[in-house]
Amino acid sequence: KTNVFAEGLYLHNFVQATLSAVKAAGSDLENETLVIGGDGRYYNDKAIQIIVKIAIANGVKRVWVAKDGICSTPAMSAVVRERGPQWQKAFGAFILSASHNPGGPDEDFGIKYNCENGGPAPEKITNAIYANTTTITTVKMCQDFPEIDITKLGETRVQAKDDSQVAIVQVIDCVTPHLDLLATVFDFDFIKSALLSRPDFSMVFDAMHGVTGPYARALFVDIFGLPESTLMNAIPLPDFGGHHADPNLTYAVDLTAKCGITKTGRAIESLTNTPSFGAASDGDGDRNMILGSKFFVTPS
C-alpha cells in the first residue's frame, strides 16, 4: 500500500539495495545514466525526489526523469535502450507503478527496476536486491540536493563544494522517443491512408486516466489527425479518476458502453453508431483490451 512506502524508509531501503546490487553486478553508476519515471499514481512525485537524492549519494552523476513523472513501461524500455548519445546511455531505470491496481493515498504503490537492456531485472539481480534488504544498515542520501521541478523540461546541474564533480538531473520527454521507435516498426502513413481515413472506420481509445493518455494524444490526434473525441479518460490522474485502471469488461465500463458491450461481453443491440474499433490500456501501459463494434475481442 502507498502508506507503507510513504512511512519510514521502506522505499529508501529498496532503492539503496537495488543500487548496491547493480553496482556489484558491474553497472557503471558514475559514467552512465539512471532513468526514473512511472504511471503518475499518487506518491510518484515524492518518490522521484527521494530516488534522485539516493542515486546522487551513491555516485550516480546523471539522472533522466520523465516529465511529470509520466513514462509508460514500454516507453521506459525504449528510453533505456534507444536514448543517446552513447556516452550517456542508461544503466537502468526505476519504474514507479503498481500496474493495473488502484492508485491513491489508501491504495497501491509499487516500484520495479529495469536493466540496461530495457527489460525487467533478471533473477540474479532481484535475488541480490532481496539479499541486500535483509542486511542493509545504511541508506546513502544527499539530503541537500535541490528538489527537481518535474513539470518542466530542463536540466539541473549541481557542483560539488570542492568542484571535483558535477551531478546532472535532466527532465526529459518520454513520449516522443517511444513514438519515434514505433514509427520504425509500423508504417504510420499507410495506417493513416488505408485505415484511419476510411469513411466507414471509427475508433476510440480509453487511457483509463493512466499513463498512456499523453502517448495516445500524440499518436492519434497529433500524428494521425483523429479528433480529440477519439480519446477517453486521457488525462493521467493520481487516483486514476477513482477507478481501477484494469482494461477488462468489468472495469473499462466507459469503453464498453461506447462500443455497445455489456460487462458479460454481450452486444447492446439497441445502441447505434458504435465505433468500429475500441481499445483500453492499464495504468502503466503494458496491457490492453481490444473491442470491435458490439463485440469483445480480447484482453491482454
Side-chain angles (χ1 to χ4, degrees):
K1 291 295 183 179
T2 302
N3 56 11
V4 174
F5 278 90
E7 292 175 357
L9 298 176
Y10 190 95
L11 173 65
H12 305 60
N13 286 346
F14 178 83
V15 174
Q16 179 63 62
T18 300
L19 292 174
S20 296
V22 298
K23 183 175 182 178
S27 292
D28 190 351
L29 273 61
E30 293 190 5
N31 296 305
E32 296 180 353
T33 304
L34 176 68
V35 194
I36 309 172
D39 60 12
R41 69 178 56 235
Y42 184 86
Y43 194 63
N44 268 21
D45 53 348
K46 294 181 176 62
I48 287 170
Q49 304 294 340
I50 291 170
I51 296 171
V52 167
K53 293 179 179 182
I54 296 175
I56 299 301
N58 277 269
V60 177
K61 300 296 191 300
R62 184 181 298 102
V63 181
W64 292 333
V65 176
K67 183 179 179 294
D68 298 316
I70 296 293
C71 187
S72 74
T73 294
M76 181 63 81
S77 178
V79 170
V80 170
R81 290 181 291 112
E82 303 290 333
R83 183 179 172 88
Q86 182 65 21
W87 61 272
Q88 291 185 5
K89 72 174 186 174
F91 67 81
F94 284 107
I95 303 175
L96 305 173
S97 173
S99 189
H100 58 278
N101 294 300
D106 298 317
E107 298 295 350
D108 297 325
F109 188 82
I111 182 171
K112 52 189 175 182
Y113 182 80
N114 278 20
C115 290
E116 69 279 355
N117 64 357
E123 189 174 0
K124 67 177 182 179
I125 296 296
T126 58
N127 286 345
I129 294 170
Y130 172 71
N132 287 345
T133 65
T134 65
T135 60
I136 188 171
T137 59
T138 302
V139 174
K140 299 177 182 178
M141 191 168 183
C142 188
Q143 296 283 5
D144 294 333
F145 200 83
E147 295 283 301
I148 304 301
D149 184 354
I150 63 174
T151 68
K152 298 177 182 178
L153 298 175
E155 185 176 278
T156 299
R157 301 173 68 93
V158 177
Q159 190 88 23
K161 290 182 178 179
D162 62 0
D163 293 330
S164 61
Q165 54 190 333
V166 177
I168 301 171
V169 180
Q170 187 177 0
V171 178
I172 65 171
D173 170 17
C174 285
V175 175
T176 303
H178 188 47
L179 297 184
D180 289 345
L181 179 60
L182 291 179
T184 69
V185 180
F186 301 99
D187 188 335
F188 283 1
D189 291 335
F190 183 77
I191 292 172
K192 183 175 181 179
S193 61
L195 179 63
L196 301 181
S197 297
R198 286 175 49 166
D200 61 344
F201 180 85
S202 59
M203 66 164 287
V204 63
F205 176 80
D206 186 356
M208 302 190 77
H209 288 303
V211 73
T212 57
Y215 296 87
R217 177 168 284 104
L219 178 62
F220 296 129
V221 178
D222 298 342
I223 294 177
F224 286 150
L226 296 177
E228 187 76 21
S229 57
T230 301
L231 309 179
M232 303 174 67
N233 303 317
I235 299 175
L237 296 175
D239 64 348
F240 303 127
H243 300 300
H244 196 138
D246 194 354
N248 57 42
L249 294 175
T250 300
Y251 295 114
V253 292
D254 292 340
L255 178 65
T256 56
K258 187 79 172 179
C259 291
I261 304 170
T262 68
K263 286 187 176 181
T264 60
R266 296 181 179 275
I268 304 174
E269 299 296 349
S270 60
L271 198 64
T272 60
N273 297 322
T274 54
S276 312
F277 174 85
S281 61
D282 72 333
D284 67 324
D286 63 357
R287 295 172 54 247
N288 62 69
M289 177 175 70
I290 304 297
L291 304 175
S293 178
K294 299 184 182 180
F295 68 91
F296 167 73
V297 179
T298 180
S300 66

